[in-house]
Amino acid sequence: MINFKELASEYKTPLYIYDLDYMTKQYEELKAAFKGRKSIMAFAVKSNSNLSVIKHFSDLGSGADCVSIGEVRRAFLAGIPSYKIIFSGVGKSDDEIREAIEKDILYINVESEAELGRVELIAKELNTICRISIRVNPNIDPQTHPYISTGLHDNKFGVEIDTAKRMYIKANNSEHLDPVGIHFHIGSQLTELKPIYESAEIVADLVRSLEKIKIELKFFDIGGGLGVKYDNEVTINPYDYAQAVLSTLKGLDLTVICEPGRFLTANAGYFLTKVLYEKQNGSKRFVVVDGAMNDLLRPALYSAYHKIEAITDSKSDKTKADIVGPVCESGDFFAKDYPLPELAHNDLLVIHSAGAYGFGMGSNYNTRGRSAEVALKNGEARLIRKRETFDDLIALEKEFLV
Ligand code: LLP
């Protein structure tokens, strides 16, 4: 049991809390599902990019899936070895590509023909060979929220099968490119196995057709996407997930790379916020708290559901309330019509499943400093990011004030 009251009094609110032991459990479960097969778990750093969290996965043997050179740098700082770092993303700049090549990461995951040209040119300038993988867009509907669907031709990610084939041939003929992997990631918060299986099948068939023309890959990168329970979703069992993917790889000797984010971090995280006021507008009840959409954007952006638990002495009946923050936007809410007892100033609300895409999607909107982050390990709490101060917020502007 986490003592939220104690944490709030020690570290103040709003506060992110991460249970590292839960992350370990999730990591081990997924890794075990691929037992008997060469595999690398490459933690999707975007889901929670705190250095201590990445370091925790590094200590467990994880690699890192990164989407900017900033994330690549974080992965290095946290001790992830270069040969377990992957760099994906549709819009890598020349500088990012150059640094990734110089850092000799496992591979750059290329998402367009134009990008392949840039990577080749930069590798040539550096007089080296760059390992690449190509992100294939299998045009499969992942059946998730449209904002986090990535495997349809309508989405900006990856390339079509025919384009991918052309790119592999080009890369194979290049003196500066070494095609070592193939990648797909069709979306996030997936709760259906079928789209994953169908995508893996399409991509594995492409691997086979490449083998026929003597292009032999080493890595089969299945992206991330495993859904978690926010409410009462029926999620995919990691073992079934692994079996489904592996069943498409018969006769192929490939190392499987998995890029889990949410599965490892979402339910390890809690966002702790304090009640400021109760107010009533007509028949509408509002609970105003000290956390806001700049801390946890998911409800505002995706109408995402997060379970909310009140820590209070109140014994009153529950009635429905909107839980809102101080930001000047009507979209600034954590939940709508959520049943809560009558709450008092300084009561606490724990927002569950906040470990993935929580702090990382935060901002300083309304000149609000971002909250502190605390890690729990073996029952002990440790600060892993200080609360931002007003001085932090203006540091890059102050000297330019005219
Ligand atoms: N690999 C790639 C190439 C990705 O684009 C992503 C996530 C992952 C791995 C990790 O996916 P996961 O295992 O976490 O589902 N902000 C949204 C989620 C965006 C996901 C973006 N890509 C949310 O809060 O739901």
mmCIF file of all heavy atoms in Angstrom, residues 178-198:
data_model
loop_
_atom_site.group_PDB
_atom_site.id
_atom_site.type_symbol
_atom_site.label_atom_id
_atom_site.label_comp_id
_atom_site.label_asym_id
_atom_site.label_seq_id
_atom_site.Cartn_x
_atom_site.Cartn_y
_atom_site.Cartn_z
ATOM 1 N N ASP A 178 23.393 -0.288 -44.373
ATOM 2 C CA ASP A 178 23.340 -1.722 -44.099
ATOM 3 C C ASP A 178 21.938 -2.038 -43.565
ATOM 4 O O ASP A 178 21.637 -1.763 -42.401
ATOM 5 C CB ASP A 178 24.428 -2.070 -43.054
ATOM 6 C CG ASP A 178 24.444 -3.564 -42.747
ATOM 7 O OD1 ASP A 178 23.796 -4.343 -43.474
ATOM 8 O OD2 ASP A 178 25.121 -3.942 -41.759
ATOM 9 N N PRO A 179 21.069 -2.574 -44.418
ATOM 10 C CA PRO A 179 19.708 -2.866 -43.936
ATOM 11 C C PRO A 179 19.707 -4.098 -43.025
ATOM 12 O O PRO A 179 19.961 -5.206 -43.485
ATOM 13 C CB PRO A 179 18.931 -3.134 -45.226
ATOM 14 C CG PRO A 179 19.942 -3.538 -46.239
ATOM 15 C CD PRO A 179 21.273 -2.971 -45.820
ATOM 16 N N VAL A 180 19.450 -3.877 -41.739
ATOM 17 C CA VAL A 180 19.510 -4.993 -40.783
ATOM 18 C C VAL A 180 18.155 -5.348 -40.183
ATOM 19 O O VAL A 180 17.993 -6.422 -39.619
ATOM 20 C CB VAL A 180 20.499 -4.698 -39.621
ATOM 21 C CG1 VAL A 180 21.933 -4.605 -40.125
ATOM 22 C CG2 VAL A 180 20.103 -3.435 -38.865
ATOM 23 N N GLY A 181 17.183 -4.413 -40.303
ATOM 24 C CA GLY A 181 15.933 -4.686 -39.592
ATOM 25 C C GLY A 181 14.692 -4.277 -40.359
ATOM 26 O O GLY A 181 14.767 -3.602 -41.403
ATOM 27 N N ILE A 182 13.575 -4.719 -39.836
ATOM 28 C CA ILE A 182 12.272 -4.306 -40.377
ATOM 29 C C ILE A 182 11.377 -3.985 -39.180
ATOM 30 O O ILE A 182 11.503 -4.617 -38.122
ATOM 31 C CB ILE A 182 11.686 -5.409 -41.281
ATOM 32 C CG1 ILE A 182 10.548 -4.860 -42.131
ATOM 33 C CG2 ILE A 182 11.220 -6.631 -40.479
ATOM 34 C CD1 ILE A 182 10.297 -5.672 -43.390
ATOM 35 N N HIS A 183 10.515 -3.012 -39.364
ATOM 36 C CA HIS A 183 9.772 -2.528 -38.207
ATOM 37 C C HIS A 183 8.319 -2.237 -38.563
ATOM 38 O O HIS A 183 8.034 -1.791 -39.669
ATOM 39 C CB HIS A 183 10.456 -1.230 -37.730
ATOM 40 C CG HIS A 183 9.731 -0.497 -36.640
ATOM 41 N ND1 HIS A 183 8.876 0.545 -36.898
ATOM 42 C CD2 HIS A 183 9.738 -0.635 -35.309
ATOM 43 C CE1 HIS A 183 8.396 1.011 -35.748
ATOM 44 N NE2 HIS A 183 8.903 0.315 -34.767
ATOM 45 N N PHE A 184 7.428 -2.473 -37.609
ATOM 46 C CA PHE A 184 6.057 -1.961 -37.736
ATOM 47 C C PHE A 184 5.546 -1.622 -36.345
ATOM 48 O O PHE A 184 5.977 -2.210 -35.351
ATOM 49 C CB PHE A 184 5.128 -2.958 -38.451
ATOM 50 C CG PHE A 184 4.847 -4.219 -37.662
ATOM 51 C CD1 PHE A 184 3.728 -4.320 -36.835
ATOM 52 C CD2 PHE A 184 5.699 -5.302 -37.751
ATOM 53 C CE1 PHE A 184 3.466 -5.479 -36.107
ATOM 54 C CE2 PHE A 184 5.455 -6.470 -37.020
ATOM 55 C CZ PHE A 184 4.339 -6.559 -36.200
ATOM 56 N N HIS A 185 4.680 -0.645 -36.285
ATOM 57 C CA HIS A 185 4.034 -0.271 -35.012
ATOM 58 C C HIS A 185 2.697 0.318 -35.432
ATOM 59 O O HIS A 185 2.657 1.401 -36.019
ATOM 60 C CB HIS A 185 4.886 0.759 -34.262
ATOM 61 C CG HIS A 185 4.167 1.372 -33.091
ATOM 62 N ND1 HIS A 185 4.132 0.795 -31.844
ATOM 63 C CD2 HIS A 185 3.425 2.502 -32.997
ATOM 64 C CE1 HIS A 185 3.404 1.549 -31.036
ATOM 65 N NE2 HIS A 185 2.963 2.597 -31.712
ATOM 66 N N ILE A 186 1.612 -0.389 -35.172
ATOM 67 C CA ILE A 186 0.333 0.018 -35.766
ATOM 68 C C ILE A 186 -0.512 0.920 -34.867
ATOM 69 O O ILE A 186 -1.517 1.455 -35.309
ATOM 70 C CB ILE A 186 -0.494 -1.202 -36.227
ATOM 71 C CG1 ILE A 186 -0.762 -2.159 -35.060
ATOM 72 C CG2 ILE A 186 0.196 -1.905 -37.381
ATOM 73 C CD1 ILE A 186 -1.757 -3.275 -35.405
ATOM 74 N N GLY A 187 -0.090 1.075 -33.630
ATOM 75 C CA GLY A 187 -0.870 1.938 -32.750
ATOM 76 C C GLY A 187 -0.613 1.610 -31.299
ATOM 77 O O GLY A 187 0.149 0.690 -30.984
ATOM 78 N N SER A 188 -1.254 2.376 -30.446
ATOM 79 C CA SER A 188 -1.012 2.246 -29.016
ATOM 80 C C SER A 188 -2.317 1.880 -28.316
ATOM 81 O O SER A 188 -3.398 2.043 -28.884
ATOM 82 C CB SER A 188 -0.478 3.587 -28.523
ATOM 83 O OG SER A 188 0.148 3.463 -27.296
ATOM 84 N N GLN A 189 -2.184 1.401 -27.084
ATOM 85 C CA GLN A 189 -3.353 0.955 -26.303
ATOM 86 C C GLN A 189 -4.176 -0.051 -27.122
ATOM 87 O O GLN A 189 -5.392 0.063 -27.267
ATOM 88 C CB GLN A 189 -4.187 2.169 -25.828
ATOM 89 C CG GLN A 189 -5.373 1.875 -24.931
ATOM 90 C CD GLN A 189 -5.046 1.062 -23.670
ATOM 91 O OE1 GLN A 189 -3.903 0.907 -23.281
ATOM 92 N NE2 GLN A 189 -6.049 0.506 -23.024
ATOM 93 N N LEU A 190 -3.467 -1.062 -27.672
ATOM 94 C CA LEU A 190 -4.145 -2.090 -28.465
ATOM 95 C C LEU A 190 -4.722 -3.144 -27.526
ATOM 96 O O LEU A 190 -4.050 -3.606 -26.601
ATOM 97 C CB LEU A 190 -3.169 -2.751 -29.440
ATOM 98 C CG LEU A 190 -2.385 -1.799 -30.346
ATOM 99 C CD1 LEU A 190 -1.459 -2.579 -31.281
ATOM 100 C CD2 LEU A 190 -3.337 -0.938 -31.174
ATOM 101 N N THR A 191 -5.963 -3.508 -27.786
ATOM 102 C CA THR A 191 -6.584 -4.543 -26.963
ATOM 103 C C THR A 191 -7.045 -5.718 -27.822
ATOM 104 O O THR A 191 -7.640 -6.661 -27.316
ATOM 105 C CB THR A 191 -7.776 -3.967 -26.163
ATOM 106 O OG1 THR A 191 -8.616 -3.271 -27.079
ATOM 107 C CG2 THR A 191 -7.329 -3.012 -25.087
ATOM 108 N N GLU A 192 -6.793 -5.631 -29.116
ATOM 109 C CA GLU A 192 -7.160 -6.726 -30.025
ATOM 110 C C GLU A 192 -5.878 -7.324 -30.586
ATOM 111 O O GLU A 192 -5.007 -6.601 -31.089
ATOM 112 C CB GLU A 192 -7.982 -6.190 -31.202
ATOM 113 C CG GLU A 192 -9.302 -5.561 -30.817
ATOM 114 C CD GLU A 192 -10.319 -6.577 -30.336
ATOM 115 O OE1 GLU A 192 -10.260 -7.736 -30.810
ATOM 116 O OE2 GLU A 192 -11.139 -6.220 -29.480
ATOM 117 N N LEU A 193 -5.807 -8.651 -30.544
ATOM 118 C CA LEU A 193 -4.596 -9.322 -31.026
ATOM 119 C C LEU A 193 -4.556 -9.441 -32.553
ATOM 120 O O LEU A 193 -3.489 -9.397 -33.173
ATOM 121 C CB LEU A 193 -4.537 -10.724 -30.383
ATOM 122 C CG LEU A 193 -3.225 -11.484 -30.463
ATOM 123 C CD1 LEU A 193 -2.054 -10.629 -30.014
ATOM 124 C CD2 LEU A 193 -3.306 -12.743 -29.614
ATOM 125 N N LYS A 194 -5.746 -9.582 -33.138
ATOM 126 C CA LYS A 194 -5.818 -9.868 -34.575
ATOM 127 C C LYS A 194 -5.050 -8.853 -35.446
ATOM 128 O O LYS A 194 -4.274 -9.262 -36.315
ATOM 129 C CB LYS A 194 -7.294 -9.950 -35.000
ATOM 130 C CG LYS A 194 -7.491 -10.696 -36.282
ATOM 131 C CD LYS A 194 -8.946 -11.182 -36.420
ATOM 132 C CE LYS A 194 -9.269 -11.386 -37.879
ATOM 133 N NZ LYS A 194 -10.140 -10.335 -38.441
ATOM 134 N N PRO A 195 -5.237 -7.547 -35.237
ATOM 135 C CA PRO A 195 -4.493 -6.600 -36.090
ATOM 136 C C PRO A 195 -2.971 -6.742 -35.961
ATOM 137 O O PRO A 195 -2.245 -6.558 -36.938
ATOM 138 C CB PRO A 195 -4.936 -5.232 -35.570
ATOM 139 C CG PRO A 195 -6.157 -5.460 -34.759
ATOM 140 C CD PRO A 195 -6.128 -6.862 -34.273
ATOM 141 N N ILE A 196 -2.515 -7.106 -34.776
ATOM 142 C CA ILE A 196 -1.065 -7.272 -34.582
ATOM 143 C C ILE A 196 -0.601 -8.497 -35.360
ATOM 144 O O ILE A 196 0.399 -8.465 -36.086
ATOM 145 C CB ILE A 196 -0.714 -7.439 -33.079
ATOM 146 C CG1 ILE A 196 -1.243 -6.258 -32.277
ATOM 147 C CG2 ILE A 196 0.790 -7.616 -32.894
ATOM 148 C CD1 ILE A 196 -1.077 -6.385 -30.778
ATOM 149 N N TYR A 197 -1.350 -9.579 -35.219
ATOM 150 C CA TYR A 197 -1.011 -10.813 -35.915
ATOM 151 C C TYR A 197 -1.006 -10.583 -37.430
ATOM 152 O O TYR A 197 -0.067 -10.977 -38.132
ATOM 153 C CB TYR A 197 -2.021 -11.909 -35.525
ATOM 154 C CG TYR A 197 -1.882 -13.147 -36.362
ATOM 155 C CD1 TYR A 197 -0.842 -14.044 -36.134
ATOM 156 C CD2 TYR A 197 -2.769 -13.413 -37.407
ATOM 157 C CE1 TYR A 197 -0.682 -15.170 -36.927
ATOM 158 C CE2 TYR A 197 -2.622 -14.532 -38.198
ATOM 159 C CZ TYR A 197 -1.578 -15.407 -37.953
ATOM 160 O OH TYR A 197 -1.417 -16.517 -38.742
ATOM 161 N N GLU A 198 -2.041 -9.922 -37.920
ATOM 162 C CA GLU A 198 -2.133 -9.690 -39.368
ATOM 163 C C GLU A 198 -0.988 -8.819 -39.872
ATOM 164 O O GLU A 198 -0.427 -9.070 -40.941
ATOM 165 C CB GLU A 198 -3.479 -9.036 -39.712
ATOM 166 C CG GLU A 198 -4.616 -10.035 -39.606
ATOM 167 C CD GLU A 198 -6.001 -9.392 -39.786
ATOM 168 O OE1 GLU A 198 -6.092 -8.155 -39.962
ATOM 169 O OE2 GLU A 198 -6.974 -10.139 -39.721
#
